[in-house]
């Protein structure tokens, strides 16, 4: 059954879809980490998950100003997640291949977010 309403439109956004893919990839890669690192991996997974959650939350706010605010939180979560997997790589917890997969998808999500924010800021400016 296809459920549609105005509050679920974020699911059409490529950035949201890619952010969900980034969360899934993070879960798969970090699941293999040893028990001693479960706390930091859980925090890292949460940072990745926060990206898509903030996009959807902002979309549901129905105000451009609040939407932009949520997208900026999402962008901040992007930075947090980048720091997580970068430090894992430097500590030799990630293979080159795992790092490359995470970094490539993260880079895509981050740039999609930046473009969406820029586009909405232009729309906001045009209304003034």
């Amino acid at each position: 059954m296809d459920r549609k309403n105005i509050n679920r439109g974020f699911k059409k956004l490529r950035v949201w879809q890619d952010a969900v893919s980034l969360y899934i990839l993070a879960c798969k890669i970090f699941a293999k980490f040893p028990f001693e690192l479960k706390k930091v991996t859980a925090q890292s997974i949460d940072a990745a998950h926060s990206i898509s959650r903030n996009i959807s939350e902002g979309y549901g706010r129905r105000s451009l100003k609040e939407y932009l605010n949520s997208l900026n939180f999402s962008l901040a979560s992007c930075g947090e997640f980048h720091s997580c997997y970068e430090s894992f790589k430097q500590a030799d917890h990630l293979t080159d291949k795992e790092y490359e997969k995470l970094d490539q998808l993260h880079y895509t999500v981050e740039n999609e977010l930046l473009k969406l924010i820029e586009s909405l800021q232009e729309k906001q400016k045009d209304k003034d």
Side-chain angles (χ1 to χ4, degrees):
M1 175 196 248
D2 194 22
R3 295 181 177 92
K4 294 180 185 180
N5 68 30
I6 196 164
N7 227 26
R8 294 184 180 198
F10 64 86
K11 293 164 89 176
K12 295 177 186 172
L13 295 173
R14 181 56 164 211
V15 65
W16 180 82
Q17 295 167 8
D18 288 344
V20 170
S21 296
L22 184 61
Y23 162 73
I24 292 167
L25 180 61
C27 287
K28 287 178 181 175
I29 291 174
F30 298 156
K32 68 172 184 59
F33 279 43
F35 178 79
E36 304 83 50
L37 295 174
K38 287 301 176 195
K39 182 178 179 182
V40 293
T41 56
Q43 291 169 332
S44 302
I45 289 168
D46 191 49
H49 198 206
S50 185
I51 299 166
S52 64
R53 291 191 329 249
N54 280 307
I55 293 167
S56 60
E57 180 181 352
Y59 190 93
R61 293 285 180 166
R62 314 310 307 157
S63 149
L64 188 53
K65 182 179 177 182
E66 288 182 288
Y67 188 21
L68 280 165
N69 193 39
S70 290
L71 291 176
N72 280 309
F73 286 134
S74 189
L75 192 57
S77 294
C78 249
E80 179 184 6
F81 182 65
H82 179 71
S83 179
C84 293
Y85 73 82
E86 187 68 40
S87 59
F88 288 153
K89 175 63 176 141
Q90 291 182 29
D92 292 325
H93 297 306
L94 292 173
T95 65
D96 290 340
K97 186 177 179 180
E98 291 168 331
Y99 174 84
E100 188 55 36
K101 280 183 175 181
L102 285 168
D103 197 50
Q104 188 175 54
L105 187 51
H106 175 269
Y107 182 81
T108 298
V109 169
E110 191 172 42
N111 281 297
E112 288 170 340
L113 259 177
L114 288 167
K115 287 175 187 170
L116 178 57
I117 290 168
E118 183 181 340
S119 169
L120 292 173
Q121 285 172 334
E122 285 298 316
K123 186 175 182 178
Q124 188 178 42
K125 198 186 314 178
D126 290 345
K127 281 189 173 184
D128 290 342

